[in-house]
Amino acid sequence: MIASSELILNPDGSVYHLNLLPEHIAHDIIFVGDQNRVEKITQHFERIEFSQQKREFKTQTGYFKGKRMTVMSTGIGPDNIDIVMNELDALVNIDLTTRTVKEELTSLNIIRIGTSGSLQADIPVDSLVMSKYGLGLDNMLRSYLIDEISEKNIEEAFIQQTKWDIQKGRPYVIKGSEDLEQRIESEKIIKGFTGTAGGFYGPQGRVLRLPIQDPELNSKMDAFEFEGIKMTNLEMETGAIYGLGKLLGHQCLSLNAIIANRATGTFSEDPYKAVDALIAYTLDQLAQS
């Protein structure tokens, strides 16, 4: 039995942060960072059967082309992903009444739709990028036992090629769901490594008033390559989603609309159009499978 201090429930029996009960979520779940983006997706639904919000976690469940889906905002960063992934898993794989793990486990399909900046000059703004691997620079996942799921050979290559300072913690690399990759991929999609940073400014190489530990890190990551796969973009959630998803037995994939190119210093003339295109594409691919 899981103690009440470990699995915290609200008075109505819902999981603490998300404020959800098991019947509130679908098998197919779309993550967004911004709570305001939830309705940008669900406005395409034929109907919405459930809506809930607590803090930055907004959830809506409904139907698109007859398929039941949930859209949920996670907020920003690996720490929020730790909350969302564990509480979602609890909804389907823990009996919340008895506080015991179910004998038969459920695997959810989780797809993140986000915005990001490209690290490569040849990945222009308004491109659609799929994260074949999440490359975590954030350390959150190291609180768990990840040796059986991480790609140690790629981690070593990244450490060597970028001369990574191990005092910042060891980067981790987790592969995305091959099943979802096959369902979602097309000629429109660019694939690669997505770096997941633990912050927006210094951890992503941005300098305002504070000097950073490695001013050349972004250019080193630009040049990183493993068996022909390059770093495509840098954001703050994918590695954590992939790692917790794989540990918990869920299928996870991350998609990003590229709205900025760090290599060329360009920004999309219409970032909302790029995001809308990714939303429409993802919904159609999910509804067909």
Side-chain angles (χ1 to χ4, degrees), residues 183-196:
R183 289 172 59 182
I184 301 298
E185 67 182 350
S186 74
E187 70 283 350
K188 297 179 180 179
I189 299 291
I190 299 168
K191 301 179 186 179
F193 291 103
T194 290
T196 295

Side-chain angles (χ1 to χ4, degrees), residues 23-80:
E23 60 266 27
H24 293 155
I25 62 169
H27 183 77
D28 292 313
I29 299 174
I30 295 174
F31 280 176
V32 293
D34 183 358
Q35 57 192 288
N36 294 322
R37 195 172 291 159
V38 172
E39 291 184 356
K40 285 183 68 68
I41 296 178
T42 59
Q43 67 181 349
H44 298 280
F45 285 13
E46 290 93 52
R47 66 184 178 93
I48 296 171
E49 67 177 28
F50 174 80
S51 185
Q52 178 68 280
Q53 180 166 5
K54 184 178 180 182
R55 304 183 187 184
E56 64 266 53
F57 307 114
K58 182 172 183 174
T59 303
Q60 290 191 330
T61 296
Y63 291 83
F64 177 78
K65 293 185 177 179
K67 190 179 186 73
R68 190 170 186 254
M69 300 181 192
T70 292
V71 184
M72 175 181 297
S73 61
T74 64
I76 300 173
D79 51 343
N80 273 23

Side-chain angles (χ1 to χ4, degrees), residues 14-266:
S14 62
V15 289
Y16 182 65
H17 295 91
L18 302 184
N19 206 18
L20 299 175
L21 293 167
E23 60 266 27
H24 293 155
I25 62 169
H27 183 77
D28 292 313
I29 299 174
I30 295 174
F31 280 176
V32 293
D34 183 358
Q35 57 192 288
N36 294 322
R37 195 172 291 159
V38 172
E39 291 184 356
K40 285 183 68 68
I41 296 178
T42 59
Q43 67 181 349
H44 298 280
F45 285 13
E46 290 93 52
R47 66 184 178 93
I48 296 171
E49 67 177 28
F50 174 80
S51 185
Q52 178 68 280
Q53 180 166 5
K54 184 178 180 182
R55 304 183 187 184
E56 64 266 53
F57 307 114
K58 182 172 183 174
T59 303
Q60 290 191 330
T61 296
Y63 291 83
F64 177 78
K65 293 185 177 179
K67 190 179 186 73
R68 190 170 186 254
M69 300 181 192
T70 292
V71 184
M72 175 181 297
S73 61
T74 64
I76 300 173
D79 51 343
N80 273 23
I81 296 302
D82 184 53
I83 291 171
V84 173
M85 291 294 293
N86 276 290
E87 292 194 5
L88 273 180
D89 181 76
L91 288 173
V92 295
N93 289 321
I94 296 175
D95 185 315
L96 301 183
T97 302
T98 64
R99 297 178 173 274
T100 57
V101 177
K102 296 179 180 178
E103 291 186 7
E104 186 174 335
L105 299 179
T106 296
S107 177
L108 298 169
N109 293 322
I110 298 169
I111 295 181
R112 178 179 185 270
I113 294 179
T115 56
S116 187
S118 168
L119 293 175
Q120 302 292 338
D122 61 354
I123 302 177
V125 294
D126 303 327
S127 299
L128 304 184
V129 165
M130 176 185 290
S131 308
K132 193 169 184 69
Y133 295 89
L135 199 162
L137 312 174
D138 58 279
N139 286 328
M140 184 280 290
L141 203 66
R142 291 286 176 193
S143 295
Y144 299 93
L145 302 174
I146 66 170
D147 285 351
E148 296 300 316
I149 64 165
S150 61
E151 306 283 341
K152 297 181 184 61
N153 53 344
I154 304 178
E155 294 169 5
E156 287 295 339
F158 180 81
I159 291 168
Q160 295 301 319
Q161 290 184 39
T162 63
K163 295 181 172 57
W164 179 263
D165 185 347
I166 208 68
Q167 290 186 91
K168 295 192 293 186
R170 180 184 172 89
Y172 60 87
V173 178
I174 311 292
K175 192 172 187 180
S177 165
E178 293 182 349
D179 177 62
L180 288 179
E181 178 182 345
Q182 292 172 5
R183 289 172 59 182
I184 301 298
E185 67 182 350
S186 74
E187 70 283 350
K188 297 179 180 179
I189 299 291
I190 299 168
K191 301 179 186 179
F193 291 103
T194 290
T196 295
F200 183 77
Y201 289 97
Q204 294 191 39
R206 291 183 173 92
V207 177
L208 301 183
R209 290 205 312 119
L210 296 177
I212 58 176
Q213 181 269 332
D214 186 354
E216 305 301 320
L217 181 59
N218 275 21
S219 60
K220 293 174 185 176
M221 290 194 294
D222 293 350
F224 173 64
E225 184 174 336
F226 186 87
E227 296 182 353
I229 305 175
K230 295 182 178 181
M231 287 280 287
T232 52
N233 60 312
L234 189 59
E235 45 84 272
M236 296 178 64
E237 289 83 29
T238 295
I241 293 170
Y242 282 13
L244 289 173
K246 188 154 287 190
L247 287 171
L248 292 166
H250 304 297
Q251 301 294 316
C252 299
L253 193 68
S254 183
L255 304 170
N256 275 281
I258 299 300
I259 62 171
N261 188 298
R262 300 286 296 278
T264 62
T266 55

